[in-house]
Amino acid sequence: MSLTIITGMLISLFTLNAPLAPTALKPGDTAIDFKLKNVDGKMVSLADFKSAKGFIVVFTCNHCPYAKMYEDRLIALNDKYSKMGYPVIAINPNDPTAEPEDSFDEMKKRAKSKGFKFPYLFDEGQKIYPQYGATRTPHVFLLNAQRIVKYIGAIDDNPNDASAVKAKYLEEAIASLQAGKEIIPNVTKALGCSIKVKKA
Amino acid sequence: MQQFKHLLLFIYFISGFTAAAQSDVAVPLYEDFASFQKSVLQPESNQVRLINFWATWCKPCVKELPYFQQLHEKYPELPMVLVSLDKKADAKGRIARFLAQRNITIPVVVLADGRANDWIDKVSPEWSGSIPATLVYNRGDQKFFETDFESMEAIEATIDIQSLIKNKQ
């Protein structure tokens, strides 16, 4: 009896001490909502978008050349899809002490100079990106209205040249989602900048 | 003042001269992952080798290059290669100049195949696509590190360089 109790205590001790591994989202998983500061100073949550059919959540930033190459495409995507119920929600996951170009003030400047009409949120304290499993910028997560992940990966297959794109992965995923068809592929990989974390 | 002007001219001349001399240095360019895999990666070859994926625009990559250089000088017998993911045009001279300015002598190639979704998994299924990233082949064993390193000692400890050196002999 006492042995069982001790074993039980030991097991719970180990379980409690086990580090919480960051779980990367997969298609079919439910993504968490968040409340993050936008470049206009207001707090933004997905729940604020009452009539949204889904969300184009994109982890992106100021400094990364790959993120920069997609800025104009993000603007065009938001212009096209926010009307259809799929707004772009951009989140900067980088720690500005590790990458000063990605500070909140620099985000405000970039949003203004590029004329972002979508929220550009700051993942202050880097609490949200690990719960999505974002690893790079840019990194897209397409969610439906219930925040179920439908597609993860790249916007398209040609970062360097928007005019030479052959596969518009994200747009094709949205079209399939709207048509109630299976999304193929629902995960793609792309080159990008690592997410910048402050070193101890 | 006149002397200063001469000095400036002299510096200008020298730097222009060295830049011109180096600008002709082209590094091997692979525009197609299949040819890169066959000639550079050789995943089936039972080799011992360290392969670092980087780019000139990637700050943490550039920061860790000197640590890989120190490793290269400490273990010259360990085969290493830097795989630049810069633009195709950079293979003609810019990459060689960039590395020469930083005294990096590790062999380098440029991989400029834009269809990254088709080949990232072929480098390693563990790779999400962010750089820096380092791939290590150790006699059929393969390890992948999607991280940057803070020192040469950190590389030695994380990658278990001693095992590579032992297996290389």
Side-chain angles (χ1 to χ4, degrees), chain A residues 84-107:
Chain A
M84 292 162 65
Y86 298 87
V88 167
I89 314 286
I91 303 174
N92 166 24
N94 289 338
D95 185 327
T97 56
E99 179 47 76
E101 264 187 72
D102 292 331
S103 71
F104 188 65
D105 277 345
E106 293 299 322
M107 287 173 63

Side-chain angles (χ1 to χ4, degrees), chain A residues 44-64:
Chain A
V44 171
S45 294
L46 297 178
D48 300 339
F49 296 80
K50 304 284 182 213
S51 58
K53 291 180 191 161
F55 305 94
I56 301 168
V57 176
V58 54
F59 292 88
T60 187
C61 66
N62 281 4
H63 91 275
C64 174

Side-chain angles (χ1 to χ4, degrees), chain A residues 65-66 99 101 135-136 157 169 188-194 196 199, chain B residues 57 59-60 85 114 116-117 120-121 125 127-131 148 150:
Chain A
Y66 275 80
E99 179 47 76
E101 264 187 72
T135 58
R136 60 177 186 270
D157 69 350
Y169 302 125
T188 58
K189 289 188 175 182
L191 295 174
C193 303
S194 58
K196 303 297 180 282
K199 291 281 159 68
Chain B
W57 48 261
K59 288 180 200 172
L85 301 173
N117 184 51
I120 286 173
D121 276 335
W127 191 13
S128 86
S130 81
I131 53 171
D148 55 330
E150 292 289 297

Side-chain angles (χ1 to χ4, degrees), chain B residues 6-87:
Chain B
H6 280 140
L7 183 69
L8 271 184
L9 267 175
F10 179 72
I11 291 170
Y12 182 76
F13 175 78
I14 290 290
S15 57
F17 181 76
T18 16
Q22 285 167 356
S23 67
D24 293 324
V25 180
V27 299
L29 167 69
Y30 297 91
E31 292 184 69
D32 169 51
F33 182 80
S35 62
F36 167 80
Q37 192 174 34
K38 192 162 169 265
S39 321
V40 182
L41 221 47
Q42 303 177 337
E44 312 299 331
S45 68
N46 200 37
Q47 63 192 313
V48 172
R49 201 147 54 114
L50 190 153
I51 300 158
N52 176 254
F53 293 84
W54 71 292
T56 54
W57 48 261
C58 163
K59 288 180 200 172
C61 305
V62 174
K63 188 172 170 245
E64 70 176 6
L65 284 178
Y67 313 142
F68 280 105
Q69 179 65 25
Q70 288 168 22
L71 194 74
H72 181 55
E73 286 166 17
K74 185 170 174 184
Y75 304 105
E77 69 273 38
L78 174 66
M80 288 172 67
V81 63
L82 300 174
V83 179
S84 147
L85 301 173
D86 286 279
K87 292 193 298 284

Side-chain angles (χ1 to χ4, degrees), chain A residues 154-188:
Chain A
I155 291 165
D156 57 45
D157 69 350
N158 198 325
N160 294 301
D161 185 359
S163 66
V165 166
K166 290 200 184 78
K168 294 183 173 183
Y169 302 125
L170 176 63
E171 293 202 58
E172 284 162 20
I174 298 171
S176 297
L177 178 60
Q178 286 208 300
K181 288 187 200 155
E182 194 187 347
I183 297 169
I184 306 167
N186 60 3
V187 176
T188 58

Side-chain angles (χ1 to χ4, degrees), chain A residues 55-159:
Chain A
F55 305 94
I56 301 168
V57 176
V58 54
F59 292 88
T60 187
C61 66
N62 281 4
H63 91 275
C64 174
Y66 275 80
K68 285 180 194 166
M69 287 189 257
Y70 276 108
E71 279 175 342
D72 290 341
R73 277 174 267 188
L74 278 183
I75 291 167
L77 282 167
N78 186 62
D79 286 348
K80 181 173 176 185
Y81 289 101
S82 62
K83 280 183 275 186
M84 292 162 65
Y86 298 87
V88 167
I89 314 286
I91 303 174
N92 166 24
N94 289 338
D95 185 327
T97 56
E99 179 47 76
E101 264 187 72
D102 292 331
S103 71
F104 188 65
D105 277 345
E106 293 299 322
M107 287 173 63
K108 286 198 270 191
K109 284 184 204 161
R110 181 64 61 79
K112 197 177 172 199
S113 72
K114 291 299 291 186
F116 289 168
K117 290 181 203 140
F118 49 82
Y120 186 22
L121 311 176
F122 182 41
D123 186 4
E124 198 161 11
Q126 300 188 302
K127 294 195 172 64
I128 301 305
Y129 91 78
Q131 301 189 63
Y132 275 70
T135 58
R136 60 177 186 270
T137 52
H139 201 162
V140 173
F141 294 76
L142 174 67
L143 316 179
N144 74 2
Q146 289 74 43
R147 300 197 313 274
I148 295 170
V149 179
K150 293 294 172 181
Y151 169 80
I152 301 174
I155 291 165
D156 57 45
D157 69 350
N158 198 325

